[in-house]
Amino acid sequence: MAGVTAGRFAGRTALVVGGGTDGPAAPGEALPMGNGRAIAMHLAAEGAAVAVTDVSAERAAETVAALGGIGLALEADAADPDACRAAVDRAVAGLGPLDVVVCNVGIGGGGPIGRQTVEQYDLAMDVNVRSHWVTAERALPGMVERGRGAFVFVGSVAGAWSNGFALSYETSKAAQLALARHIAVRFGSRGIRANTVVLGLIASAMSRREQGTDGDTLGWRAALPALARQGTPEEAAAAVAFLASDDAAYVTGTELVVDGGLTCRSPDSLFRGRDAVAAPQGG
Ligand SMILES: NC(=O)c1ccc[n+]([C@@H]2O[C@H](COP(=O)([O-])OP(=O)(O)OC[C@H]3O[C@@H](n4cnc5c(N)ncnc54)[C@H](O)[C@@H]3O)[C@@H](O)[C@H]2O)c1
């Protein structure tokens, strides 16, 4: 597994919110992979006991079965604040005090302004932002008591850049950044860190389900990043594991952009096309 550093989470406990995967597998993939699942598997590979929540008990259980370590599958709808709180309690009761909470769950929106309904907007805000606030609020007292804890939020470039298509997704991902910073500032002096991975175009099961797998879609998703390909859930997970680990002991309240150079490209680089900006051989 990419970027696995043996033992960084030995003896530690993690909660991954939204750690199932909902969508088709990639060609040749035995188990459909999404960011939450890859994060849970990565943390387990580095020694963590991992509690996985999902709105679907079956999807959470699938992830836990793939962990190859100590795990706990929990059914919890992130749209329900009581379920979020209960999931934290059940994770602590089942695996012990939490060292790491990964706020991964995030749903797409209903569309652009004018087509977005109030119900779709509220649901995205509930799942993508409120659930993370409520989960963190429940996990924090135990972390404060022990003087350590790390939150990693799974964000998106949509929190900083609009494609004009996804009002509630963009709005909620921007709000999520503020939530991470709030926790970092409020609890930093008590040994708690909070950071966000800002993901670009990741070839996850959810992206295949929502965006499709036709040649055009796969083409533009691969064409836009400077690295000329989509990222993988495992690459997203490696960045999450870094921020959750002691290797990032002095990193808090910030964002790690994991987008293969999607957002470093200026508009003229995109407009001119890859061939025009690609370095000639030797240069
Ligand atoms: N895939 C990408 O291109 C991409 C890009 C940027 C950011 N992200 C972010 O990555 C995160 C994970 O996305 P993914 O693509 O890996 O998805 P995924 O399909 O792999 O996993 C999402 C999981 O969340 C669960 N879920 C959905 N609604 C839920 C709810 N109300 N309560 C609990 N669980 C629920 C689903 O059942 C599914 O198992 C999201 O926050 C998303 O915004 C993804």
Side-chain angles (χ1 to χ4, degrees), residues 31-60:
L31 184 68
M33 197 54 70
N35 295 322
R37 176 166 289 165
I39 292 163
M41 291 174 69
H42 189 119
L43 296 176
E46 293 203 25
V50 185
V52 172
T53 76
D54 203 281
V55 69
S56 151
E58 195 185 324
R59 287 179 218 136

Side-chain angles (χ1 to χ4, degrees), residues 31-258:
L31 184 68
M33 197 54 70
N35 295 322
R37 176 166 289 165
I39 292 163
M41 291 174 69
H42 189 119
L43 296 176
E46 293 203 25
V50 185
V52 172
T53 76
D54 203 281
V55 69
S56 151
E58 195 185 324
R59 287 179 218 136
E62 261 177 16
T63 299
V64 168
L67 289 183
I70 301 168
L72 179 67
L74 300 167
E75 182 179 349
D77 183 353
D80 174 357
D82 288 335
C84 294
R85 295 186 191 99
V88 172
D89 295 347
R90 287 158 68 201
V92 172
L95 297 180
L98 294 175
D99 300 291
V100 172
V101 174
V102 182
C103 297
N104 169 72
V105 72
I107 58 171
I113 194 163
R115 270 190 262 153
Q116 175 91 79
T117 69
V118 168
E119 291 73 21
Q120 289 164 336
Y121 183 89
D122 286 349
L123 181 63
M125 294 303 280
D126 290 353
V127 171
N128 299 2
V129 188
R130 189 181 67 186
S131 77
H132 298 318
W133 153 45
V134 171
T135 299
E137 190 174 69
R138 193 65 154 207
L140 275 161
M143 291 177 168
V144 168
E145 203 179 299
R146 295 186 312 127
R148 71 158 201 258
F151 291 90
V152 184
F153 292 80
V154 179
S156 166
V157 293
W161 294 274
S162 173
N163 65 8
F165 286 106
L167 177 65
S168 63
Y169 191 66
E170 295 163 22
T171 311
S172 61
K173 288 297 182 183
Q176 196 193 27
L177 294 171
L179 174 59
R181 289 187 209 115
H182 181 88
I183 293 169
V185 169
R186 186 116 188 127
F187 292 94
S189 65
R190 285 167 275 184
I192 315 295
R193 297 184 299 106
N195 292 290
T196 301
V197 287
V198 176
L199 302 182
L201 299 164
I202 306 295
S204 73
M206 183 172 85
S207 67
R208 283 188 288 276
R209 194 192 75 229
E210 291 199 352
Q211 309 255 344
T213 52
D214 59 278
D216 272 1
T217 303
L218 295 181
W220 70 256
R221 285 180 73 91
L224 293 179
L227 290 180
R229 65 174 177 86
Q230 292 190 68
T232 66
E234 290 81 3
E235 288 167 333
V240 169
F242 164 69
L243 289 173
S245 78
D246 291 346
D247 287 345
Y250 201 57
V251 181
T252 197
T254 193
E255 291 98 44
L256 175 55
V257 179
V258 183

